[in-house]
Amino acid sequence: YPLSLERMAFYVEEETNDNGVVTLSTLPDGEVDVLVSAGGYGVTLLSKLSVGPGSPEVFRGELKPENVLVVTVQDSSKAPLSDVSLHAISIQDGPSIMSGVVNALGPRRSALKSGADGRITVGALAAGLYVMEFSKGPQRQQLKVKIEDGKPHRATLTMQ
C-alpha cells in the first residue's frame, strides 16, 4: 500500500533556545498538528498549522504545568503503608483517552507502588474525576479524586 502523508506521524525531538524558541525544519508542507511537551509540563496541541511557502515563521504555544497527584496510603493508625499497588485508574468525567491509564502500564503489567513513606505519585493526568483502585495483598480499596488544572493534588487513602 502506498504511504500517505495524511496518515503519517513524525517524531522530532528538538531543544529550545534560551528564549524558548525551537526550529523545526523537517515538517512536511501542508496542514499539521504538533504536540509540544517538556518535563514537568503537560502536552500542548498546536492544531492545524499551515506549513510551507508563505506560512508564518512563528507559531506560539503555551505549556501548562503537568497535573500530578500524590496519594499517601496509610493504615488505620495513620502509619504509612509501603508496597500498596495502584493498578487501575478510570476516569468518570473528562477525556476518554485517559481510561485505563495504569491498567496497567503496558504489556509488562507492572503497577505503581507506594514507597516506605506510603506515597504514590501519578503524573500526566488530564482534568476530571478519577476512580483509582489500590491493593495490598487481598485488600482492595477505591479512591475517588477530582483533578483540576493548575491546582495541587494530594489525597490520603486509609486502607481498612
Side-chain angles (χ1 to χ4, degrees):
Y1 297 99
L3 292 177
S4 165
L5 286 180
E6 293 175 24
R7 296 183 186 170
M8 291 186 75
F10 296 88
Y11 176 79
V12 179
E13 187 173 323
E14 296 287 343
E15 299 274 331
T16 59
N17 65 20
D18 292 340
N19 297 320
V21 176
V22 64
T23 301
L24 301 174
S25 57
T26 57
L27 294 176
D29 287 352
E31 196 173 83
V32 297
D33 293 335
V34 177
L35 291 173
V36 181
S37 68
Y41 291 88
V43 175
T44 297
L45 172 66
L46 302 177
S47 185
K48 300 187 188 296
L49 302 179
S50 181
V51 177
S55 65
E57 293 180 14
V58 176
F59 298 102
R60 297 195 180 276
E62 179 181 343
L63 292 176
K64 295 179 181 174
E66 178 179 65
N67 290 326
V68 175
L69 169 67
V70 178
V71 178
T72 301
V73 186
Q74 61 189 22
D75 63 17
S76 56
S77 68
K78 299 194 180 195
L81 278 176
S82 62
D83 294 322
V84 175
S85 298
L86 167 58
H87 55 86
I89 298 177
S90 64
I91 188 164
Q92 292 185 326
D93 176 29
S96 59
I97 194 167
M98 293 302 293
S99 273
V101 165
V102 173
N103 189 26
L105 304 161
R108 63 175 200 259
R109 289 206 168 281
S110 54
L112 297 174
K113 290 195 177 217
S114 61
D117 61 359
R119 290 189 179 150
I120 299 175
T121 302
V122 184
L125 293 171
L129 180 61
Y130 291 83
V131 177
M132 300 182 173
E133 188 171 299
F134 297 82
S135 67
K136 183 168 176 86
Q139 266 183 301
R140 291 194 178 276
Q141 201 160 328
Q142 290 186 341
L143 176 69
K144 287 186 180 180
V145 180
K146 184 175 184 177
I147 301 294
E148 297 179 65
D149 287 331
K151 294 188 175 182
H153 304 96
R154 296 194 178 279
T156 301
L157 174 68
T158 302
M159 295 287 287
Q160 303 297 327

PDB file of all heavy atoms in Angstrom, residues 70-85 113-120 134-136 139-143 154-160:
ATOM      1  N   VAL A  70      -0.349  13.163  44.209  1.00  0.00           N
ATOM      2  CA  VAL A  70       0.411  12.401  45.208  1.00  0.00           C
ATOM      3  C   VAL A  70      -0.601  11.815  46.180  1.00  0.00           C
ATOM      4  O   VAL A  70      -1.337  12.548  46.837  1.00  0.00           O
ATOM      5  CB  VAL A  70       1.434  13.281  45.960  1.00  0.00           C
ATOM      6  CG1 VAL A  70       2.163  12.454  47.011  1.00  0.00           C
ATOM      7  CG2 VAL A  70       2.415  13.913  44.988  1.00  0.00           C
ATOM      8  N   VAL A  71      -0.651  10.477  46.234  1.00  0.00           N
ATOM      9  CA  VAL A  71      -1.541   9.779  47.159  1.00  0.00           C
ATOM     10  C   VAL A  71      -0.683   9.209  48.283  1.00  0.00           C
ATOM     11  O   VAL A  71       0.303   8.527  48.021  1.00  0.00           O
ATOM     12  CB  VAL A  71      -2.306   8.636  46.462  1.00  0.00           C
ATOM     13  CG1 VAL A  71      -3.191   7.893  47.462  1.00  0.00           C
ATOM     14  CG2 VAL A  71      -3.135   9.167  45.299  1.00  0.00           C
ATOM     15  N   THR A  72      -1.049   9.508  49.517  1.00  0.00           N
ATOM     16  CA  THR A  72      -0.387   8.920  50.676  1.00  0.00           C
ATOM     17  C   THR A  72      -1.295   7.820  51.206  1.00  0.00           C
ATOM     18  O   THR A  72      -2.460   8.066  51.522  1.00  0.00           O
ATOM     19  CB  THR A  72      -0.129   9.975  51.769  1.00  0.00           C
ATOM     20  OG1 THR A  72       0.677  11.014  51.217  1.00  0.00           O
ATOM     21  CG2 THR A  72       0.584   9.357  52.961  1.00  0.00           C
ATOM     22  N   VAL A  73      -0.753   6.603  51.273  1.00  0.00           N
ATOM     23  CA  VAL A  73      -1.522   5.457  51.748  1.00  0.00           C
ATOM     24  C   VAL A  73      -1.085   5.151  53.179  1.00  0.00           C
ATOM     25  O   VAL A  73       0.114   5.089  53.472  1.00  0.00           O
ATOM     26  CB  VAL A  73      -1.301   4.228  50.839  1.00  0.00           C
ATOM     27  CG1 VAL A  73      -2.222   3.091  51.266  1.00  0.00           C
ATOM     28  CG2 VAL A  73      -1.531   4.579  49.378  1.00  0.00           C
ATOM     29  N   GLN A  74      -2.081   4.990  54.053  1.00  0.00           N
ATOM     30  CA  GLN A  74      -1.784   4.739  55.464  1.00  0.00           C
ATOM     31  C   GLN A  74      -2.689   3.639  56.000  1.00  0.00           C
ATOM     32  O   GLN A  74      -3.706   3.314  55.389  1.00  0.00           O
ATOM     33  CB  GLN A  74      -1.962   6.020  56.272  1.00  0.00           C
ATOM     34  CG  GLN A  74      -3.379   6.571  56.217  1.00  0.00           C
ATOM     35  CD  GLN A  74      -3.510   7.953  56.836  1.00  0.00           C
ATOM     36  OE1 GLN A  74      -2.550   8.692  56.950  1.00  0.00           O
ATOM     37  NE2 GLN A  74      -4.721   8.286  57.253  1.00  0.00           N
ATOM     38  N   ASP A  75      -2.290   3.092  57.146  1.00  0.00           N
ATOM     39  CA  ASP A  75      -3.154   2.105  57.801  1.00  0.00           C
ATOM     40  C   ASP A  75      -4.084   2.840  58.769  1.00  0.00           C
ATOM     41  O   ASP A  75      -4.051   4.071  58.861  1.00  0.00           O
ATOM     42  CB  ASP A  75      -2.333   1.005  58.483  1.00  0.00           C
ATOM     43  CG  ASP A  75      -1.447   1.517  59.619  1.00  0.00           C
ATOM     44  OD1 ASP A  75      -1.674   2.641  60.126  1.00  0.00           O
ATOM     45  OD2 ASP A  75      -0.532   0.776  60.008  1.00  0.00           O
ATOM     46  N   SER A  76      -4.902   2.087  59.489  1.00  0.00           N
ATOM     47  CA  SER A  76      -5.898   2.716  60.374  1.00  0.00           C
ATOM     48  C   SER A  76      -5.271   3.501  61.522  1.00  0.00           C
ATOM     49  O   SER A  76      -5.898   4.382  62.099  1.00  0.00           O
ATOM     50  CB  SER A  76      -6.866   1.674  60.923  1.00  0.00           C
ATOM     51  OG  SER A  76      -6.148   0.655  61.591  1.00  0.00           O
ATOM     52  N   SER A  77      -3.993   3.234  61.843  1.00  0.00           N
ATOM     53  CA  SER A  77      -3.318   4.019  62.882  1.00  0.00           C
ATOM     54  C   SER A  77      -2.552   5.204  62.283  1.00  0.00           C
ATOM     55  O   SER A  77      -1.779   5.852  62.968  1.00  0.00           O
ATOM     56  CB  SER A  77      -2.362   3.133  63.686  1.00  0.00           C
ATOM     57  OG  SER A  77      -1.280   2.719  62.871  1.00  0.00           O
ATOM     58  N   LYS A  78      -2.757   5.441  61.000  1.00  0.00           N
ATOM     59  CA  LYS A  78      -2.152   6.554  60.243  1.00  0.00           C
ATOM     60  C   LYS A  78      -0.662   6.367  59.979  1.00  0.00           C
ATOM     61  O   LYS A  78       0.032   7.324  59.638  1.00  0.00           O
ATOM     62  CB  LYS A  78      -2.427   7.899  60.901  1.00  0.00           C
ATOM     63  CG  LYS A  78      -3.909   8.187  60.970  1.00  0.00           C
ATOM     64  CD  LYS A  78      -4.208   9.615  61.293  1.00  0.00           C
ATOM     65  CE  LYS A  78      -5.709   9.760  61.340  1.00  0.00           C
ATOM     66  NZ  LYS A  78      -6.197  11.045  61.301  1.00  0.00           N
ATOM     67  N   ALA A  79      -0.165   5.142  60.108  1.00  0.00           N
ATOM     68  CA  ALA A  79       1.227   4.839  59.746  1.00  0.00           C
ATOM     69  C   ALA A  79       1.284   4.602  58.234  1.00  0.00           C
ATOM     70  O   ALA A  79       0.364   4.011  57.656  1.00  0.00           O
ATOM     71  CB  ALA A  79       1.705   3.602  60.485  1.00  0.00           C
ATOM     72  N   PRO A  80       2.350   5.088  57.560  1.00  0.00           N
ATOM     73  CA  PRO A  80       2.445   4.890  56.108  1.00  0.00           C
ATOM     74  C   PRO A  80       2.521   3.410  55.738  1.00  0.00           C
ATOM     75  O   PRO A  80       3.128   2.616  56.454  1.00  0.00           O
ATOM     76  CB  PRO A  80       3.738   5.598  55.721  1.00  0.00           C
ATOM     77  CG  PRO A  80       4.403   6.015  56.970  1.00  0.00           C
ATOM     78  CD  PRO A  80       3.494   5.775  58.115  1.00  0.00           C
ATOM     79  N   LEU A  81       1.856   3.058  54.641  1.00  0.00           N
ATOM     80  CA  LEU A  81       1.882   1.681  54.140  1.00  0.00           C
ATOM     81  C   LEU A  81       2.720   1.625  52.868  1.00  0.00           C
ATOM     82  O   LEU A  81       2.460   2.353  51.916  1.00  0.00           O
ATOM     83  CB  LEU A  81       0.469   1.207  53.818  1.00  0.00           C
ATOM     84  CG  LEU A  81      -0.387   0.693  54.956  1.00  0.00           C
ATOM     85  CD1 LEU A  81      -1.789   0.353  54.457  1.00  0.00           C
ATOM     86  CD2 LEU A  81       0.245  -0.507  55.615  1.00  0.00           C
ATOM     87  N   SER A  82       3.718   0.755  52.846  1.00  0.00           N
ATOM     88  CA  SER A  82       4.524   0.567  51.645  1.00  0.00           C
ATOM     89  C   SER A  82       3.980  -0.608  50.837  1.00  0.00           C
ATOM     90  O   SER A  82       3.171  -1.395  51.334  1.00  0.00           O
ATOM     91  CB  SER A  82       5.990   0.330  52.012  1.00  0.00           C
ATOM     92  OG  SER A  82       6.103  -0.848  52.775  1.00  0.00           O
ATOM     93  N   ASP A  83       4.439  -0.721  49.598  1.00  0.00           N
ATOM     94  CA  ASP A  83       4.069  -1.819  48.693  1.00  0.00           C
ATOM     95  C   ASP A  83       2.570  -1.926  48.440  1.00  0.00           C
ATOM     96  O   ASP A  83       2.052  -3.022  48.207  1.00  0.00           O
ATOM     97  CB  ASP A  83       4.620  -3.156  49.201  1.00  0.00           C
ATOM     98  CG  ASP A  83       6.131  -3.184  49.154  1.00  0.00           C
ATOM     99  OD1 ASP A  83       6.706  -2.643  48.186  1.00  0.00           O
ATOM    100  OD2 ASP A  83       6.751  -3.727  50.099  1.00  0.00           O
ATOM    101  N   VAL A  84       1.866  -0.807  48.484  1.00  0.00           N
ATOM    102  CA  VAL A  84       0.470  -0.779  48.066  1.00  0.00           C
ATOM    103  C   VAL A  84       0.481  -0.483  46.570  1.00  0.00           C
ATOM    104  O   VAL A  84       1.165   0.425  46.115  1.00  0.00           O
ATOM    105  CB  VAL A  84      -0.342   0.297  48.830  1.00  0.00           C
ATOM    106  CG1 VAL A  84      -1.756   0.395  48.283  1.00  0.00           C
ATOM    107  CG2 VAL A  84      -0.345  -0.002  50.321  1.00  0.00           C
ATOM    108  N   SER A  85      -0.247  -1.270  45.799  1.00  0.00           N
ATOM    109  CA  SER A  85      -0.269  -1.123  44.345  1.00  0.00           C
ATOM    110  C   SER A  85      -1.446  -0.286  43.887  1.00  0.00           C
ATOM    111  O   SER A  85      -2.569  -0.485  44.339  1.00  0.00           O
ATOM    112  CB  SER A  85      -0.375  -2.494  43.672  1.00  0.00           C
ATOM    113  OG  SER A  85       0.738  -3.281  43.980  1.00  0.00           O
ATOM    114  N   LYS A 113       3.677   1.460  42.850  1.00  0.00           N
ATOM    115  CA  LYS A 113       3.646   1.002  44.243  1.00  0.00           C
ATOM    116  C   LYS A 113       4.083   2.113  45.181  1.00  0.00           C
ATOM    117  O   LYS A 113       4.940   2.920  44.846  1.00  0.00           O
ATOM    118  CB  LYS A 113       4.566  -0.196  44.434  1.00  0.00           C
ATOM    119  CG  LYS A 113       4.038  -1.440  43.765  1.00  0.00           C
ATOM    120  CD  LYS A 113       4.744  -2.660  44.267  1.00  0.00           C
ATOM    121  CE  LYS A 113       4.109  -3.862  43.621  1.00  0.00           C
ATOM    122  NZ  LYS A 113       4.022  -4.971  44.491  1.00  0.00           N
ATOM    123  N   SER A 114       3.496   2.107  46.378  1.00  0.00           N
ATOM    124  CA  SER A 114       3.888   3.089  47.385  1.00  0.00           C
ATOM    125  C   SER A 114       5.252   2.719  47.956  1.00  0.00           C
ATOM    126  O   SER A 114       5.597   1.547  48.079  1.00  0.00           O
ATOM    127  CB  SER A 114       2.840   3.164  48.499  1.00  0.00           C
ATOM    128  OG  SER A 114       2.714   1.921  49.152  1.00  0.00           O
ATOM    129  N   GLY A 115       6.013   3.754  48.309  1.00  0.00           N
ATOM    130  CA  GLY A 115       7.319   3.555  48.924  1.00  0.00           C
ATOM    131  C   GLY A 115       7.194   3.468  50.435  1.00  0.00           C
ATOM    132  O   GLY A 115       6.086   3.394  50.990  1.00  0.00           O
ATOM    133  N   ALA A 116       8.325   3.507  51.117  1.00  0.00           N
ATOM    134  CA  ALA A 116       8.347   3.413  52.579  1.00  0.00           C
ATOM    135  C   ALA A 116       7.561   4.554  53.222  1.00  0.00           C
ATOM    136  O   ALA A 116       7.035   4.413  54.329  1.00  0.00           O
ATOM    137  CB  ALA A 116       9.785   3.417  53.082  1.00  0.00           C
ATOM    138  N   ASP A 117       7.468   5.691  52.517  1.00  0.00           N
ATOM    139  CA  ASP A 117       6.720   6.839  53.047  1.00  0.00           C
ATOM    140  C   ASP A 117       5.220   6.740  52.756  1.00  0.00           C
ATOM    141  O   ASP A 117       4.453   7.637  53.091  1.00  0.00           O
ATOM    142  CB  ASP A 117       7.278   8.146  52.495  1.00  0.00           C
ATOM    143  CG  ASP A 117       7.192   8.239  50.970  1.00  0.00           C
ATOM    144  OD1 ASP A 117       6.721   7.278  50.316  1.00  0.00           O
ATOM    145  OD2 ASP A 117       7.620   9.278  50.431  1.00  0.00           O
ATOM    146  N   GLY A 118       4.796   5.650  52.084  1.00  0.00           N
ATOM    147  CA  GLY A 118       3.385   5.458  51.773  1.00  0.00           C
ATOM    148  C   GLY A 118       2.909   6.232  50.558  1.00  0.00           C
ATOM    149  O   GLY A 118       1.727   6.224  50.243  1.00  0.00           O
ATOM    150  N   ARG A 119       3.803   6.877  49.845  1.00  0.00           N
ATOM    151  CA  ARG A 119       3.386   7.756  48.739  1.00  0.00           C
ATOM    152  C   ARG A 119       3.475   7.080  47.382  1.00  0.00           C
ATOM    153  O   ARG A 119       4.399   6.339  47.092  1.00  0.00           O
ATOM    154  CB  ARG A 119       4.241   9.011  48.715  1.00  0.00           C
ATOM    155  CG  ARG A 119       3.947   9.903  49.881  1.00  0.00           C
ATOM    156  CD  ARG A 119       4.640  11.222  49.739  1.00  0.00           C
ATOM    157  NE  ARG A 119       4.297  12.050  50.876  1.00  0.00           N
ATOM    158  CZ  ARG A 119       5.081  12.960  51.376  1.00  0.00           C
ATOM    159  NH1 ARG A 119       6.259  13.197  50.836  1.00  0.00           N
ATOM    160  NH2 ARG A 119       4.711  13.666  52.414  1.00  0.00           N
ATOM    161  N   ILE A 120       2.479   7.405  46.553  1.00  0.00           N
ATOM    162  CA  ILE A 120       2.443   7.020  45.141  1.00  0.00           C
ATOM    163  C   ILE A 120       2.219   8.306  44.362  1.00  0.00           C
ATOM    164  O   ILE A 120       1.299   9.075  44.665  1.00  0.00           O
ATOM    165  CB  ILE A 120       1.290   6.039  44.838  1.00  0.00           C
ATOM    166  CG1 ILE A 120       1.448   4.756  45.637  1.00  0.00           C
ATOM    167  CG2 ILE A 120       1.213   5.756  43.339  1.00  0.00           C
ATOM    168  CD1 ILE A 120       0.289   3.791  45.478  1.00  0.00           C
ATOM    169  N   PHE A 134      -6.669   0.537  44.547  1.00  0.00           N
ATOM    170  CA  PHE A 134      -5.422   0.201  45.233  1.00  0.00           C
ATOM    171  C   PHE A 134      -5.561  -1.192  45.833  1.00  0.00           C
ATOM    172  O   PHE A 134      -6.658  -1.614  46.186  1.00  0.00           O
ATOM    173  CB  PHE A 134      -5.152   1.199  46.367  1.00  0.00           C
ATOM    174  CG  PHE A 134      -4.956   2.601  45.904  1.00  0.00           C
ATOM    175  CD1 PHE A 134      -6.036   3.426  45.630  1.00  0.00           C
ATOM    176  CD2 PHE A 134      -3.675   3.109  45.731  1.00  0.00           C
ATOM    177  CE1 PHE A 134      -5.847   4.728  45.202  1.00  0.00           C
ATOM    178  CE2 PHE A 134      -3.480   4.406  45.304  1.00  0.00           C
ATOM    179  CZ  PHE A 134      -4.565   5.217  45.034  1.00  0.00           C
ATOM    180  N   SER A 135      -4.430  -1.877  45.987  1.00  0.00           N
ATOM    181  CA  SER A 135      -4.466  -3.175  46.649  1.00  0.00           C
ATOM    182  C   SER A 135      -3.176  -3.425  47.410  1.00  0.00           C
ATOM    183  O   SER A 135      -2.112  -2.911  47.062  1.00  0.00           O
ATOM    184  CB  SER A 135      -4.691  -4.302  45.639  1.00  0.00           C
ATOM    185  OG  SER A 135      -3.568  -4.433  44.789  1.00  0.00           O
ATOM    186  N   LYS A 136      -3.324  -4.191  48.483  1.00  0.00           N
ATOM    187  CA  LYS A 136      -2.186  -4.702  49.249  1.00  0.00           C
ATOM    188  C   LYS A 136      -2.597  -6.101  49.682  1.00  0.00           C
ATOM    189  O   LYS A 136      -3.513  -6.264  50.485  1.00  0.00           O
ATOM    190  CB  LYS A 136      -1.863  -3.833  50.449  1.00  0.00           C
ATOM    191  CG  LYS A 136      -0.622  -4.349  51.214  1.00  0.00           C
ATOM    192  CD  LYS A 136      -0.138  -3.333  52.214  1.00  0.00           C
ATOM    193  CE  LYS A 136       1.017  -3.861  53.024  1.00  0.00           C
ATOM    194  NZ  LYS A 136       2.307  -3.665  52.406  1.00  0.00           N
ATOM    195  N   GLN A 139      -6.416  -7.223  50.116  1.00  0.00           N
ATOM    196  CA  GLN A 139      -7.194  -5.997  50.358  1.00  0.00           C
ATOM    197  C   GLN A 139      -7.277  -5.160  49.087  1.00  0.00           C
ATOM    198  O   GLN A 139      -6.266  -4.907  48.432  1.00  0.00           O
ATOM    199  CB  GLN A 139      -6.503  -5.133  51.409  1.00  0.00           C
ATOM    200  CG  GLN A 139      -6.960  -5.330  52.802  1.00  0.00           C
ATOM    201  CD  GLN A 139      -6.238  -4.350  53.709  1.00  0.00           C
ATOM    202  OE1 GLN A 139      -5.012  -4.364  53.781  1.00  0.00           O
ATOM    203  NE2 GLN A 139      -6.994  -3.512  54.389  1.00  0.00           N
ATOM    204  N   ARG A 140      -8.465  -4.695  48.760  1.00  0.00           N
ATOM    205  CA  ARG A 140      -8.665  -3.777  47.628  1.00  0.00           C
ATOM    206  C   ARG A 140      -9.510  -2.617  48.115  1.00  0.00           C
ATOM    207  O   ARG A 140     -10.438  -2.795  48.889  1.00  0.00           O
ATOM    208  CB  ARG A 140      -9.383  -4.467  46.473  1.00  0.00           C
ATOM    209  CG  ARG A 140      -8.558  -5.520  45.794  1.00  0.00           C
ATOM    210  CD  ARG A 140      -9.187  -5.922  44.468  1.00  0.00           C
ATOM    211  NE  ARG A 140      -8.392  -6.896  43.781  1.00  0.00           N
ATOM    212  CZ  ARG A 140      -7.352  -6.614  43.006  1.00  0.00           C
ATOM    213  NH1 ARG A 140      -6.989  -5.378  42.821  1.00  0.00           N
ATOM    214  NH2 ARG A 140      -6.680  -7.573  42.407  1.00  0.00           N
ATOM    215  N   GLN A 141      -9.163  -1.439  47.631  1.00  0.00           N
ATOM    216  CA  GLN A 141      -9.918  -0.253  48.033  1.00  0.00           C
ATOM    217  C   GLN A 141      -9.880   0.765  46.907  1.00  0.00           C
ATOM    218  O   GLN A 141      -8.882   0.886  46.203  1.00  0.00           O
ATOM    219  CB  GLN A 141      -9.306   0.334  49.297  1.00  0.00           C
ATOM    220  CG  GLN A 141     -10.252   1.218  50.049  1.00  0.00           C
ATOM    221  CD  GLN A 141      -9.816   1.375  51.489  1.00  0.00           C
ATOM    222  OE1 GLN A 141      -9.231   0.474  52.090  1.00  0.00           O
ATOM    223  NE2 GLN A 141     -10.102   2.530  52.040  1.00  0.00           N
ATOM    224  N   GLN A 142     -10.973   1.512  46.758  1.00  0.00           N
ATOM    225  CA  GLN A 142     -11.055   2.546  45.726  1.00  0.00           C
ATOM    226  C   GLN A 142     -10.988   3.928  46.350  1.00  0.00           C
ATOM    227  O   GLN A 142     -11.355   4.126  47.508  1.00  0.00           O
ATOM    228  CB  GLN A 142     -12.345   2.413  44.919  1.00  0.00           C
ATOM    229  CG  GLN A 142     -12.362   1.189  44.031  1.00  0.00           C
ATOM    230  CD  GLN A 142     -13.580   1.171  43.137  1.00  0.00           C
ATOM    231  OE1 GLN A 142     -14.575   1.851  43.376  1.00  0.00           O
ATOM    232  NE2 GLN A 142     -13.504   0.367  42.082  1.00  0.00           N
ATOM    233  N   LEU A 143     -10.523   4.862  45.540  1.00  0.00           N
ATOM    234  CA  LEU A 143     -10.443   6.262  45.947  1.00  0.00           C
ATOM    235  C   LEU A 143     -10.905   7.105  44.779  1.00  0.00           C
ATOM    236  O   LEU A 143     -10.462   6.907  43.645  1.00  0.00           O
ATOM    237  CB  LEU A 143      -8.993   6.611  46.308  1.00  0.00           C
ATOM    238  CG  LEU A 143      -8.698   8.061  46.680  1.00  0.00           C
ATOM    239  CD1 LEU A 143      -9.351   8.413  48.017  1.00  0.00           C
ATOM    240  CD2 LEU A 143      -7.191   8.274  46.767  1.00  0.00           C
ATOM    241  N   ARG A 154      -3.322  16.361  46.188  1.00  0.00           N
ATOM    242  CA  ARG A 154      -2.864  15.410  47.195  1.00  0.00           C
ATOM    243  C   ARG A 154      -4.089  14.697  47.752  1.00  0.00           C
ATOM    244  O   ARG A 154      -5.151  15.300  47.883  1.00  0.00           O
ATOM    245  CB  ARG A 154      -2.131  16.127  48.330  1.00  0.00           C
ATOM    246  CG  ARG A 154      -0.875  16.811  47.880  1.00  0.00           C
ATOM    247  CD  ARG A 154       0.006  17.212  49.052  1.00  0.00           C
ATOM    248  NE  ARG A 154       1.226  17.822  48.600  1.00  0.00           N
ATOM    249  CZ  ARG A 154       2.281  17.154  48.169  1.00  0.00           C
ATOM    250  NH1 ARG A 154       2.268  15.854  48.143  1.00  0.00           N
ATOM    251  NH2 ARG A 154       3.366  17.779  47.758  1.00  0.00           N
ATOM    252  N   ALA A 155      -3.920  13.435  48.040  1.00  0.00           N
ATOM    253  CA  ALA A 155      -5.020  12.664  48.619  1.00  0.00           C
ATOM    254  C   ALA A 155      -4.432  11.673  49.616  1.00  0.00           C
ATOM    255  O   ALA A 155      -3.281  11.283  49.504  1.00  0.00           O
ATOM    256  CB  ALA A 155      -5.795  11.926  47.524  1.00  0.00           C
ATOM    257  N   THR A 156      -5.248  11.284  50.577  1.00  0.00           N
ATOM    258  CA  THR A 156      -4.847  10.278  51.551  1.00  0.00           C
ATOM    259  C   THR A 156      -5.848   9.140  51.482  1.00  0.00           C
ATOM    260  O   THR A 156      -7.056   9.359  51.450  1.00  0.00           O
ATOM    261  CB  THR A 156      -4.819  10.872  52.972  1.00  0.00           C
ATOM    262  OG1 THR A 156      -3.902  11.973  52.998  1.00  0.00           O
ATOM    263  CG2 THR A 156      -4.387   9.838  53.989  1.00  0.00           C
ATOM    264  N   LEU A 157      -5.319   7.935  51.451  1.00  0.00           N
ATOM    265  CA  LEU A 157      -6.147   6.736  51.442  1.00  0.00           C
ATOM    266  C   LEU A 157      -5.805   5.936  52.696  1.00  0.00           C
ATOM    267  O   LEU A 157      -4.655   5.602  52.920  1.00  0.00           O
ATOM    268  CB  LEU A 157      -5.869   5.888  50.201  1.00  0.00           C
ATOM    269  CG  LEU A 157      -6.567   4.538  50.159  1.00  0.00           C
ATOM    270  CD1 LEU A 157      -8.076   4.709  50.001  1.00  0.00           C
ATOM    271  CD2 LEU A 157      -6.015   3.689  49.034  1.00  0.00           C
ATOM    272  N   THR A 158      -6.830   5.677  53.528  1.00  0.00           N
ATOM    273  CA  THR A 158      -6.628   4.834  54.699  1.00  0.00           C
ATOM    274  C   THR A 158      -7.143   3.445  54.359  1.00  0.00           C
ATOM    275  O   THR A 158      -8.338   3.259  54.139  1.00  0.00           O
ATOM    276  CB  THR A 158      -7.380   5.416  55.919  1.00  0.00           C
ATOM    277  OG1 THR A 158      -6.910   6.751  56.148  1.00  0.00           O
ATOM    278  CG2 THR A 158      -7.140   4.575  57.155  1.00  0.00           C
ATOM    279  N   MET A 159      -6.205   2.492  54.293  1.00  0.00           N
ATOM    280  CA  MET A 159      -6.582   1.104  53.981  1.00  0.00           C
ATOM    281  C   MET A 159      -7.231   0.495  55.213  1.00  0.00           C
ATOM    282  O   MET A 159      -6.693   0.590  56.311  1.00  0.00           O
ATOM    283  CB  MET A 159      -5.374   0.276  53.557  1.00  0.00           C
ATOM    284  CG  MET A 159      -4.711   0.707  52.265  1.00  0.00           C
ATOM    285  SD  MET A 159      -5.627   0.334  50.750  1.00  0.00           S
ATOM    286  CE  MET A 159      -5.418  -1.421  50.610  1.00  0.00           C
ATOM    287  N   GLN A 160      -8.380  -0.114  55.042  1.00  0.00           N
ATOM    288  CA  GLN A 160      -9.121  -0.729  56.146  1.00  0.00           C
ATOM    289  C   GLN A 160      -8.775  -2.195  56.281  1.00  0.00           C
ATOM    290  O   GLN A 160      -8.543  -2.887  55.374  1.00  0.00           O
ATOM    291  CB  GLN A 160     -10.625  -0.571  55.933  1.00  0.00           C
ATOM    292  CG  GLN A 160     -11.058   0.863  55.788  1.00  0.00           C
ATOM    293  CD  GLN A 160     -10.810   1.719  57.019  1.00  0.00           C
ATOM    294  OE1 GLN A 160     -10.893   1.237  58.141  1.00  0.00           O
ATOM    295  NE2 GLN A 160     -10.505   2.979  56.809  1.00  0.00           N
TER     296      GLN A 160
END
